[in-house]
Amino acid sequence: MNTTSRTEENYLKAIFQLCERSEEPIATNAIAHAMKTSAASVTDMIKKLSKKELVHYQKHKGVRLTDSGNSMATSLVRKHRLWETFLVNKLNFSWEEVHEIAEELEHIPSKKLIDRLDDFLGNPKFDPHGDPIPDSAGNFTFRKQISLPELAEGAEGVLVGVQDDTMTFLQYLNKLNLTLGTKIKIVERFDYDESTKIVINGKQEQILTNKVCLNLFVKTI
Amino acid sequence: MNTTSRTEENYLKAIFQLCERSEEPIATNAIAHAMKTSAASVTDMIKKLSKKELVHYQKHKGVRLTDSGNSMATSLVRKHRLWETFLVNKLNFSWEEVHEIAEELEHIPSKKLIDRLDDFLGNPKFDPHGDPIPDSAGNFTFRKQISLPELAEGAEGVLVGVQDDTMTFLQYLNKLNLTLGTKIKIVERFDYDESTKIVINGKQEQILTNKVCLNLFVKTI
DNA sequence: AAATATTTTTAGATTAGTCTAAAAATACTT
DNA sequence: AAGTATTTTTAGACTAATCTAAAAATATTT
Ligand SMILES: [Mn+2]
Ligand SMILES: [Mn+2]
Ligand SMILES: [Mn+2]
Ligand SMILES: [Mn+2]
């Protein structure tokens, strides 16, 4: 049986995302935290994934995805992001609503379905949160982007992505009128509280905390 | 926890479809056959559904859906048929490919999703196999239709539905150029082998076996 | 109305995924 | 280097869904 369960898929995707943020082997606890489950459950699952050669694993040393695990996770990310794009672009959902639904849709198995969906959407390269959508072969489009604190005082950028895509953060951005494509100019930085004054689309002035700035990616213009 | 598992949902839908074809309580074996599982498993599940008040059940007397079971099943049918319509109308799948994929998609839980999808598709009343799609309140559109054997010799009808929607039957219909919307005229019936000669869209002559005719629904014109 | 056949239920196992608590391994402090 | 804290693994138990085999109930035939 070379089949992969929904649960195994969710673990693979979580491990993939942890791998993106570190070169080190991923700790059991880190996975447990990401999956909101116990370390014991993670150990059980890791053993299973290891037996299926989807992760490299040595006791007490953490895990990395194998090539086959990586390509499976990439396919899940592709599905997740294409469905998110569908929900926003075709069904008029807003960007903070789609993650949860895509979390389910990503497990629909048909490759033909996802390739057709990709075409139907016009082969988008980025999802509603600005994250890259791997193509049918698993290749990601790389984009030169910097986080807002890296943008020089006086310089301008276009908001192209967010680091954090939790509901609460995205809803907060909605309130601030910060959507993807928005033009942001750095007016002034205040050392006192590490806040930043920006101008949105050339008109609206706004003060952002450093926490918010760290979660915004812009393309310079 | 008033949650319904994917498995429970599949049972509810199967029972719903058996109920459509008979007023009698549905036998354990009938469900087992529909679900391709053992009678023992069905008994277990029936007890569970009964405890949740989704079916009426008495030992050895078979089951019927309760109102709440019925509305749950109707919602599943709605989702199934809307997704099938999406796959055919928007992603260019053909009618024999979509059942299997919709079998998965129907379990995606968001009501908002399905209502948006319904609007996106233009609130279709029938799915790619001619089956009615219940609206958001669970109401089916009724259509006056007859099976091909009921259509008089010399009379004409438009193909609006199929009884059997297995892959093999639908592929066979493809070969015969019989798609929904096709005009069918009964030319002659042969008692010898119960076959029927028809004309398709006013040009192509064709002999159909009774087995095929019984699975075709037409609207008279 | 018995005898036989069929259907349905129960009993007991199995597998996937989860949990808590305890044991073992590793890392950090003093 | 020893002691303490943290992380990870193991042990054992639980639930949902499944199975086979046997028992019980119902239906059919003689
Ligand atoms: Mn998921
Ligand atoms: Mn996203
Ligand atoms: Mn299903
Ligand atoms: Mn259908």
Side-chain angles (χ1 to χ4, degrees):
Chain A
M1 238 40 52
N2 231 13
T3 178
T4 311
S5 74
R6 163 170 309 241
T7 310
E8 289 167 338
E9 288 188 342
N10 283 331
Y11 273 93
L12 286 175
K13 195 157 68 86
I15 295 168
F16 176 88
Q17 275 152 3
L18 292 165
C19 283
E20 280 187 319
R21 275 164 179 60
S22 132
E23 301 293 308
E24 300 297 300
I26 308 304
T28 302
N29 260 356
I31 300 169
H33 181 255
M35 294 292 298
K36 299 186 206 309
T37 188
S38 71
S41 300
V42 172
T43 302
D44 286 348
M45 180 53 79
I46 281 172
K47 284 185 191 160
K48 227 172 96 190
L49 295 176
S50 176
K51 189 169 289 171
K52 290 189 176 190
E53 302 191 31
L54 295 168
V55 298
H56 297 291
Y57 168 59
Q58 279 178 281
K59 270 188 197 176
H60 298 100
K61 300 274 168 108
V63 298
R64 290 305 288 184
L65 291 175
T66 62
D67 284 353
S68 125
N70 197 275
S71 95
M72 231 168 225
T74 302
S75 150
L76 285 162
V77 167
R78 170 170 162 78
K79 288 191 260 183
H80 185 100
R81 293 179 182 170
L82 282 171
W83 281 117
E84 283 189 343
T85 305
F86 170 71
L87 293 173
V88 169
N89 292 4
K90 301 292 183 180
L91 300 193
N92 301 115
F93 278 85
S94 67
W95 67 347
E96 80 274 13
E97 298 176 297
V98 297
H99 183 80
E100 188 188 340
I101 301 176
E103 206 52 53
E104 302 298 318
L105 285 163
E106 71 192 3
H107 302 289
I108 304 292
S110 163
K111 170 146 175 64
K112 186 168 185 175
L113 168 60
I114 208 67
D115 290 345
R116 291 278 178 100
L117 182 64
D118 194 6
D119 290 344
F120 179 62
L121 297 172
N123 308 109
K125 296 283 165 277
F126 298 93
D127 84 355
H129 312 103
D131 294 314
I133 301 173
D135 68 19
S136 169
N139 304 113
F140 288 86
T141 298
F142 180 76
R143 177 180 54 198
K144 228 188 122 201
Q145 63 180 28
I146 56 177
S147 69
L148 211 51
E150 301 172 79
L151 190 60
E153 221 168 77
E156 272 191 305
V158 174
L159 185 61
V160 293
V162 294
Q163 171 84 46
D164 172 1
D165 56 8
T166 58
M167 182 99 86
T168 46
F169 180 60
L170 297 175
Q171 278 174 343
Y172 182 39
L173 293 184
N174 290 343
K175 291 255 167 93
L176 299 175
N177 278 320
L178 286 170
T179 56
L180 292 197
T182 298
K183 210 186 288 179
I184 296 176
K185 179 171 183 172
I186 306 291
V187 179
E188 194 179 354
R189 292 212 162 82
F190 304 103
D191 285 348
Y192 176 66
D193 60 355
E194 290 188 295
S195 67
T196 304
K197 185 194 271 187
I198 64 169
V199 174
I200 297 175
N201 284 329
K203 22 187 198 272
Q204 185 194 350
E205 275 199 350
Q206 186 72 57
I207 300 259
L208 300 180
T209 62
N210 194 240
K211 182 165 183 193
V212 168
C213 290
L214 280 167
N215 282 309
L216 298 178
F217 294 125
V218 293
K219 209 173 56 183
T220 55
I221 44 179
Chain B
M1 238 39 50
N2 231 13
T3 178
T4 312
S5 74
R6 162 169 310 239
T7 311
E8 289 168 339
E9 289 189 341
N10 283 331
Y11 272 93
L12 284 175
K13 194 157 68 87
I15 294 167
F16 176 88
Q17 274 152 4
L18 292 165
C19 284
E20 280 186 318
R21 275 164 179 58
S22 133
E23 301 293 307
E24 299 298 299
I26 308 305
T28 301
N29 260 355
I31 299 169
H33 181 255
M35 294 292 298
K36 299 188 207 309
T37 188
S38 71
S41 300
V42 172
T43 302
D44 286 348
M45 181 53 79
I46 281 173
K47 284 185 192 159
K48 228 172 97 188
L49 295 177
S50 175
K51 188 168 291 172
K52 291 189 177 190
E53 301 190 35
L54 296 167
V55 298
H56 297 291
Y57 169 60
Q58 280 179 278
K59 271 188 194 177
H60 297 101
K61 299 274 169 108
V63 299
R64 291 303 289 184
L65 291 175
T66 61
D67 284 352
S68 124
N70 199 275
S71 95
M72 232 169 225
T74 302
S75 150
L76 285 162
V77 167
R78 169 170 163 79
K79 288 190 260 184
H80 186 101
R81 292 179 182 169
L82 282 171
W83 280 117
E84 284 189 342
T85 304
F86 170 71
L87 294 173
V88 168
N89 292 5
K90 301 292 183 180
L91 301 193
N92 300 116
F93 278 85
S94 67
W95 68 346
E96 80 274 13
E97 298 176 298
V98 297
H99 182 81
E100 190 188 338
I101 301 176
E103 206 52 52
E104 303 297 319
L105 284 164
E106 71 192 3
H107 302 289
I108 304 291
S110 162
K111 171 146 176 61
K112 185 168 185 175
L113 168 61
I114 208 66
D115 290 344
R116 292 276 179 101
L117 181 65
D118 194 6
D119 290 344
F120 179 61
L121 297 171
N123 309 108
K125 295 284 167 277
F126 298 93
D127 84 355
H129 311 103
D131 293 315
I133 301 173
D135 67 18
S136 168
N139 304 113
F140 289 86
T141 298
F142 180 76
R143 177 178 55 197
K144 230 189 118 200
Q145 62 180 30
I146 56 178
S147 70
L148 211 51
E150 301 171 79
L151 189 61
E153 221 170 77
E156 271 191 306
V158 174
L159 184 61
V160 293
V162 294
Q163 170 84 47
D164 173 0
D165 57 9
T166 59
M167 181 100 85
T168 46
F169 180 60
L170 296 175
Q171 278 174 343
Y172 183 40
L173 292 184
N174 289 344
K175 289 255 167 93
L176 300 174
N177 277 321
L178 285 170
T179 54
L180 292 197
T182 299
K183 210 187 288 180
I184 297 176
K185 179 172 184 171
I186 306 293
V187 178
E188 195 179 353
R189 291 213 164 81
F190 304 104
D191 286 348
Y192 176 67
D193 61 355
E194 291 188 294
S195 67
T196 303
K197 185 194 273 186
I198 65 169
V199 174
I200 296 176
N201 284 330
K203 23 187 199 270
Q204 184 194 350
E205 277 199 345
Q206 188 71 57
I207 300 259
L208 301 180
T209 61
N210 193 240
K211 182 165 183 193
V212 169
C213 290
L214 280 167
N215 283 308
L216 298 178
F217 293 125
V218 293
K219 209 173 57 184
T220 55
I221 45 179

